[in-house]
Amino acid sequence: MFNKSKSPAKPSSVPSIPPLPDMPQAPQSTQSAQPRPAAPAPQAQPARNLSTLSADLKFDGNVSGSGDLQVDGQIKGDVKVGRLIVGETGAIEGSVSADYVEVRGRIVGAVSGKQVKLISTAYVDGDITAEQLSIDIGAYFQGRCIQGTRNPAPSAQSAAPRPSAQPAVAPQAPQPVPQADAPQRIDMSSN
């Protein structure tokens, strides 16, 4: 009753495209006239295991290490790992620091990483410091975005008031402000 039309066959005059050097080679139906030099075998890297905090677990306290972590449960505390994936059911209440951060769930706190990805189901309420930031349509982000290198470790020092570097008796001439983020003051009066 219904016939499926066949797609036209490729003409044999079209040259085949060689695979990329780092990709495994698929068997080719037509052999080229020139022999290919053998590509060097890729270096075997040790397999990194992914630690998982499952959806039915709650963890109170800080998590740190150099490995990979997937959070599908809940963490109340700071997280500092090599790679972090927050699943759709995952939630972190605290600061996050990792080389690679992928958020599908919820983070309430500062996020710091070389590469940060917010997938469409992500909810982030806090500042993000990243060299590379990707935010999908539909993701929620409330906070500041700072592009650049991340701080080695978010600490309580940033929240504490900085000690004043000025002496108790102020000299007559204005002194430069030692803090880089303080406003600059220029005295335009003629003395």
Side-chain angles (χ1 to χ4, degrees):
M1 186 167 177
F2 294 101
N3 291 331
K4 184 176 180 182
S5 63
K6 294 183 180 180
S7 60
K10 290 184 179 180
S12 61
S13 64
V14 176
S16 63
I17 300 173
L20 296 173
D22 60 343
M23 301 296 290
Q25 294 185 9
Q28 295 179 351
S29 60
T30 59
Q31 296 293 330
S32 61
Q34 298 177 355
R36 297 180 141 241
Q43 296 288 337
Q45 295 180 353
R48 296 179 70 172
N49 292 332
L50 179 68
S51 299
T52 304
L53 183 73
S54 65
D56 58 343
L57 294 176
K58 293 180 182 179
F59 185 83
D60 289 330
N62 297 335
V63 177
S64 64
S66 61
D68 300 347
L69 177 64
Q70 177 163 345
V71 177
D72 292 325
Q74 296 178 356
I75 295 178
K76 285 190 178 183
D78 298 340
V79 177
K80 183 177 182 182
V81 293
R83 288 176 43 107
L84 176 69
I85 299 172
V86 180
E88 289 186 18
T89 59
I92 297 176
E93 188 175 323
S95 64
V96 169
S97 178
D99 288 338
Y100 173 82
V101 180
E102 181 178 303
V103 183
R104 296 176 181 274
R106 179 181 186 95
I107 294 179
V108 177
V111 177
S112 176
K114 289 182 183 177
Q115 186 177 25
V116 177
K117 290 184 178 183
L118 304 184
I119 307 303
S120 63
T121 57
Y123 177 97
V124 177
D125 188 358
D127 297 344
I128 296 177
T129 302
E131 291 178 26
Q132 297 177 355
L133 175 63
S134 169
I135 302 176
D136 286 353
I137 294 175
Y140 176 84
F141 168 58
Q142 176 70 40
R144 293 182 302 164
C145 174
I146 300 133
Q147 183 178 10
T149 58
R150 63 188 177 106
N151 295 336
S155 62
Q157 287 180 341
S158 61
R162 294 181 183 169
S164 175
Q166 296 182 0
V169 178
Q172 296 291 39
Q175 296 292 318
V177 179
Q179 299 156 339
D181 56 345
Q184 202 173 34
R185 192 175 219 196
I186 301 173
D187 187 14
M188 299 297 286
S189 64
S190 58
N191 287 345

